[in-house]
Amino acid sequence: MNIAVCVKQVPDTADIKWTEHNTIQREGVESVINPFDSYALETALRLKDKDSAVKITALTMGPLQAEEIIRKAISMGVDGGFVVSDRKFAGADTVATGRTLAIAIKTKIENAEIVLCGQFATDGDTAQTGPTISTNLGYALVTYVKEIENAENGYAIVKREVEDGVETLKVKLPAVLCMLKCDYEPRRPLINGFKLAQNAEIPFYSHEDIGIEPEKVGLKGSPTCVSKAFRPEQKTSGEIFENISTDEAVEKILEVLNG
């Protein structure tokens, strides 16, 4: 079984900078793996632990520095990975990003039966990229996944979080599964993993390499745009009163409510 895991670099800072097109500036900014993508990686590795025949490929779209998170994924235990990188990809919205990643998976990963993504990215929080990949690949889609119990014989048994609890689904493969934070933590790389990652060859693929028209990527291929980006105003901190009676507490509340 071949598994593709989509990982994303997100800024490891609160000091986010914006481009002239109101997209996040990623080049030259310290980045980390999106936390939800780390759980997608761990989930894939747990399937590999059960079946050594499983092959995991990590992929990401971004600038040259995005190579770092592919090496991090390899150090954790994935078999390999690549970066989809091209200046024409800059400024892509979730539609263009999902389309580009889907074509990269289709052209560079042979018969990917499971595609794993994080449910959200901490720098965007749209939860749209996974479903867009699913649509472009024509794969089944399950969102808010907490665990993959099993995957064999053309089906996956998954647990997903719903408003009133957890439900178990049997989904026919191939499928895109979007992961939430799981009840288990992502593993840490071992020394041998670091050595493998350091020596691994990380391919970079342009829009020409994956066979996608330049009009369908980046800003040109994005039907949406950010019209304005701003930081929320800092709210004043609250006031804490300790060791006061119920009557005093009621008086304090009424004072606030009455202005």
Side-chain angles (χ1 to χ4, degrees):
M1 175 184 289
N2 288 338
I3 299 177
V5 184
C6 299
V7 293
K8 183 182 183 181
Q9 278 193 321
V10 294
D12 187 24
T13 175
D15 187 22
I16 293 174
K17 297 178 181 179
W18 304 90
T19 70
E20 60 181 316
H21 300 293
N22 285 326
T23 58
I24 293 176
Q25 179 180 316
R26 301 187 185 278
E27 294 186 1
V29 178
E30 190 69 26
S31 300
V32 296
I33 295 180
N34 177 50
F36 291 102
D37 298 346
S38 294
Y39 287 100
L41 282 170
E42 176 60 28
T43 300
L45 290 167
R46 285 174 173 248
L47 292 176
K48 187 177 178 68
D49 291 341
K50 294 179 181 179
D51 182 1
S52 60
V54 169
K55 182 179 179 181
I56 306 170
T57 303
L59 69 147
T60 190
M61 187 177 91
L64 296 180
Q65 70 189 54
E67 173 186 0
E68 296 172 10
I69 62 169
I70 298 299
R71 293 195 186 277
K72 174 69 179 295
I74 292 173
S75 73
M76 292 172 65
V78 309
D79 298 285
F82 59 86
V83 180
V84 184
S85 185
D86 193 317
R87 288 193 176 276
K88 294 185 184 296
F89 297 153
D93 67 357
T94 53
V95 173
T97 298
R99 180 190 298 125
T100 303
L101 290 172
I103 291 178
I105 291 168
K106 187 182 297 184
T107 58
K108 298 300 179 181
I109 303 176
E110 184 178 355
N111 191 28
E113 293 186 67
I114 295 178
V115 178
L116 293 175
C117 309
Q119 179 67 44
F120 306 99
T122 56
D123 62 350
D125 205 21
T126 63
Q128 294 172 350
T129 301
T132 305
I133 292 172
S134 166
T135 299
N136 281 276
L137 287 174
Y139 283 13
L141 172 69
V142 183
T143 56
Y144 298 95
V145 177
K146 293 280 289 182
E147 181 184 357
I148 302 176
E149 289 189 340
N150 195 22
E152 61 183 5
N153 300 323
Y155 289 90
I157 308 298
V158 304
K159 288 185 176 180
R160 70 185 298 263
E161 191 173 273
V162 293
E163 288 186 0
D164 56 351
V166 175
E167 64 181 15
T168 301
L169 301 178
K170 182 177 182 180
V171 56
K172 187 174 182 179
L173 303 178
V176 175
L177 309 176
C178 300
M179 303 297 304
L180 289 175
K181 181 178 179 180
C182 304
D183 293 331
Y184 42 81
E185 289 300 314
R187 66 193 66 189
R188 295 179 180 274
L190 300 176
I191 295 298
N192 287 340
F194 282 118
K195 291 180 179 178
L196 287 172
Q198 185 177 6
N199 298 322
E201 181 180 349
I202 311 296
F204 283 76
Y205 297 125
S206 67
H207 77 280
E208 293 174 332
D209 294 325
I210 64 174
I212 186 171
E213 297 89 342
E215 294 76 19
K216 293 185 177 181
V217 300
L219 281 173
K220 287 185 177 180
S222 299
T224 65
C225 66
V226 178
S227 61
K228 184 179 181 182
F230 60 92
R231 296 181 184 277
E233 293 183 8
Q234 182 70 39
K235 295 183 178 179
T236 57
S237 59
E239 191 173 0
I240 299 175
F241 297 94
E242 297 180 346
N243 301 320
I244 62 175
S245 68
T246 303
D247 290 340
E248 290 173 317
V250 171
E251 288 180 10
K252 294 292 183 184
I253 294 171
L254 289 174
E255 286 177 13
V256 173
L257 293 176
N258 293 328

